[in-house]
Amino acid sequence: MPVPPLTEDELAGALRDLPGWTVKDGELTATYKAGRAAVPPFYAAVAAAEDEADHHARITILYGTITFAVNTHDAGGAITAKDTALAARISALAAERDITDRG
């Protein structure tokens, strides 16, 4: 069964708990900067979390800058609780690796 889109109030509340994440072009997005050596293990950890959640972000890596963009295709491209949960997990993985610099 598809996950329903978040209401504007629900999304605003979720963003309060997701520092550095914003909505851009209908996607929940965040950018992190890290040393180049930190990027592959961070990406691998995120990929494992995505697979576990069966939900995947669009990820762009350019040198030490990693940008995540996520929405739910099954909900017509809307932002859902699946997206905010994945964003929170990505934020936690970044914090565990001391990747806190925002792009």
Side-chain angles (χ1 to χ4, degrees):
M1 174 150 62
V3 179
L6 295 177
T7 66
E8 287 186 35
D9 287 342
E10 289 170 331
L11 182 55
L15 286 170
R16 283 193 288 276
D17 295 330
L18 293 169
W21 288 83
T22 61
V23 175
K24 181 178 179 184
D25 297 328
E27 297 177 308
L28 191 57
T29 66
T31 298
Y32 293 87
K33 287 188 178 181
R36 285 181 51 88
V39 172
F42 178 42
Y43 173 77
V46 169
E50 290 175 322
D51 289 346
E52 183 179 310
D54 193 26
H55 194 56
H56 300 85
R58 181 171 49 82
I59 301 171
T60 305
I61 300 172
L62 182 62
Y63 301 105
T65 301
I66 309 134
T67 301
F68 299 94
V70 63
N71 62 14
T72 302
H73 299 284
D74 292 346
I79 297 172
T80 69
K82 289 177 76 171
D83 303 308
T84 56
L86 182 57
R89 185 69 182 122
I90 291 168
S91 293
L93 290 167
E96 288 171 12
R97 287 157 181 75
D98 214 17
I99 299 172
T100 56
D101 184 20
R102 303 295 178 160

